[in-house]
Amino acid sequence: MIYFDNSATTAMSPEALRTYTDVATRIMGNPSSLHNLGTTATRLLEASRRQIAELLSIEPHELFFTSGGTEGDNWVLKGVAFEKRPYGKHIIVSAIEHPAVKNTVAWLMSQGFDVDFAPVDADGFVKVADLAELIREDTILVSVMAVNNEIGSIQPIAEISALLADKPTISFHIDAVQGLGKIPVQDFLTERVDFASFSAHKFHGPRGVGFVYIKSGKRLTPLLHGGGQENNKRSTTENVAGIAAAARALRSTLTDFTAKADHVRAMKQIIFDELVKNDRIVLFSQMDKFAPNILTFGIRGVRGEVVVHAFEQYEIYISTTSACSSKKNAAASTLMAMNVDGKIATSAVRISLDATNTMAEIEQFLTIFKQIYQALEKVSH
């Protein structure tokens, strides 16, 4: 089995799985309890918080645990919107955001907020000059993803940070779910970023665990109300075992980061160089300014799901762009925002690599690709 769908989810690392099992088995206390079992759980919870914060070069009190990227995006967008509603109702997001952002701002629009979508160029990068033109006196929030989940384009976060440097009343949120563990943290978690969302299952942690960065001094209306956990910002009993496993997974992921990224990039380059030789291949991802792990392409005249199932017959697992929308058989929203022709956009498939993948798997993939490519020539139109 060859797994090339790591942007959808990664396998839990052995270290993270051992941590989860050990904590779930031995530490049963609720961190909110006053007895010794609760105190033990609290100590582990806070140790995990400190470890993740150190890896992100932020302060522990700026880190709040969630159930994942979708909750994090919802919390920040809704939390900022309602916290700052007395000062303005205008929000800007990019045209290529994940559904967790797009659907959240759609709901906010129904609540009376104004939303503008910053356009992207033909390669899938936010046009910073166009974003600047959208800013109004009542703009309260800008939200842009660090790395696009469908094609891997690394967004110009540093440029947008510079644009917003003299606009302190505008909150700046980053959906960093696809960025953490793929590109250097400092490339997206700039000094100007006020909020950022993360999800553990994208870097070999457990599903159902994530965290949000809230810069010191920034206010956010809670999404969940209840027992007052997470400093009264996110009420619900913390998933201590999952959080400890996430901290362990992140430490493993960021250890020898450069060497791992170079390995992933080298594998992507080999596939890229082979794909570009074929005249019916359309490449939606490139090498420069794109994440090292994502390579999205299409075979002209063949729908993406046909290609996915063709590879599945050989136990090679890829996807049709975003996992959150792959079963809808719709063209990738990112490609549509790039003004890619609809028929070509529906051909898109995504390979998403990981440092655990091997050159032997790349060789096997390319061998099978050649067979599938030739076979699908008969059905393409």
Side-chain angles (χ1 to χ4, degrees):
M1 191 264 288
I2 297 176
Y3 185 70
F4 284 173
D5 196 18
N6 290 281
S7 288
T9 193
T10 55
M12 280 187 71
S13 67
E15 302 91 342
L17 185 57
R18 282 196 298 270
T19 297
Y20 184 91
T21 302
D22 289 347
V23 173
T25 302
R26 295 164 40 203
I27 301 179
M28 65 193 75
N30 186 321
S32 297
S33 297
L34 294 177
H35 50 62
N36 287 338
L37 292 177
T39 300
T40 300
T42 298
R43 287 173 179 166
L44 180 57
L45 175 67
E46 295 310 316
S48 300
R49 194 189 310 275
R50 288 193 299 272
Q51 182 176 124
I52 294 173
E54 181 180 358
L55 291 167
L56 298 180
S57 298
I58 63 175
E59 296 299 321
H61 67 265
E62 297 176 311
L63 188 72
F64 299 86
F65 294 111
T66 67
S67 64
T70 294
E71 182 192 336
D73 288 342
N74 270 261
W75 181 17
V76 173
L77 269 64
K78 294 175 182 176
V80 170
F82 286 102
E83 185 71 34
K84 302 179 77 169
R85 183 162 53 178
Y87 309 102
K89 294 185 177 182
H90 183 235
I91 297 168
I92 302 171
V93 303
S94 87
I96 58 170
E97 293 301 306
H98 187 276
V101 169
K102 280 192 170 181
N103 291 340
T104 297
V105 296
W107 181 83
L108 285 170
M109 290 171 70
S110 74
Q111 304 303 303
F113 290 89
D114 295 332
V115 178
D116 277 317
F117 294 89
V120 298
D121 62 22
D123 294 316
F125 298 97
V126 171
K127 297 180 180 180
V128 180
D130 288 7
L131 188 155
E133 291 294 321
L134 296 174
I135 294 175
R136 308 184 330 204
E137 289 187 4
D138 63 337
T139 302
I140 56 174
L141 173 65
V142 171
S143 180
V144 179
M145 58 181 17
V147 173
N148 179 260
N149 57 305
E150 295 184 332
I151 63 171
S153 51
I154 300 173
Q155 297 307 309
I157 301 304
E159 293 178 53
I160 299 172
S161 295
L163 170 68
L164 299 176
D166 62 349
K167 300 173 179 59
T169 60
I170 300 177
S171 295
F172 187 22
H173 167 246
I174 299 299
D175 178 338
V177 169
Q178 294 289 348
L180 186 56
K182 312 304 187 299
I183 62 175
V185 173
Q186 62 269 22
D187 285 2
F188 59 84
L189 204 56
T190 69
E191 182 63 29
R192 182 57 184 84
V193 171
D194 300 307
F195 306 96
S197 325
F198 304 87
S199 188
H201 76 102
K202 305 296 188 179
F203 54 81
H204 299 286
R207 297 173 180 86
V209 178
F211 40 90
V212 162
Y213 162 66
I214 304 177
K215 190 175 183 178
S216 292
K218 299 301 176 180
R219 297 174 61 86
L220 198 63
T221 297
L223 186 65
L224 302 177
H225 297 86
Q229 290 87 348
E230 295 298 288
N231 196 26
N232 290 314
K233 284 185 168 60
R234 197 256 183 182
S235 294
T236 195
T237 300
E238 295 94 343
N239 178 359
V240 178
I243 289 167
R248 184 67 182 87
L250 185 58
R251 186 172 67 182
S252 297
T253 295
L254 296 184
T255 299
D256 299 323
F257 171 78
T258 300
K260 290 175 181 175
D262 288 345
H263 170 62
V264 173
R265 187 176 292 104
M267 291 188 293
K268 176 182 174 179
Q269 185 74 64
I270 291 172
I271 299 176
F272 183 92
D273 290 344
E274 287 299 317
L275 291 179
V276 78
K277 296 176 183 178
N278 300 278
D279 58 6
R280 290 190 295 121
I281 293 292
V282 182
L283 285 162
F284 303 111
S285 303
Q286 302 297 323
M287 296 300 301
D288 188 36
K289 297 183 181 180
F290 281 73
N293 61 309
I294 295 177
L295 179 54
T296 300
F297 70 95
I299 302 176
R300 292 181 187 275
V302 182
R303 292 186 65 88
E305 61 267 25
V306 174
V307 178
V308 168
H309 291 309
F311 276 104
E312 187 179 11
Q313 298 303 309
Y314 296 91
E315 295 191 321
I316 298 175
Y317 297 94
I318 61 175
S319 69
T320 53
T321 63
S322 172
C324 294
S325 57
S326 62
K327 292 185 177 180
K328 298 177 182 178
N329 293 330
S333 61
T334 296
L335 300 182
M336 301 307 289
M338 292 161 56
N339 293 317
V340 174
D341 179 85
K343 289 185 178 179
I344 296 177
T346 56
S347 72
V349 295
R350 181 187 67 186
I351 298 168
S352 47
L353 305 169
D354 183 74
T356 58
N357 291 128
T358 66
M359 288 296 183
E361 291 177 327
I362 301 301
E363 183 178 4
Q364 177 66 10
F365 171 84
L366 290 175
T367 297
I368 299 302
F369 164 76
K370 292 176 182 177
Q371 297 177 26
I372 291 174
Y373 184 77
Q374 292 175 358
L376 289 177
E377 186 172 10
K378 302 175 183 178
V379 300
S380 63
H381 56 278

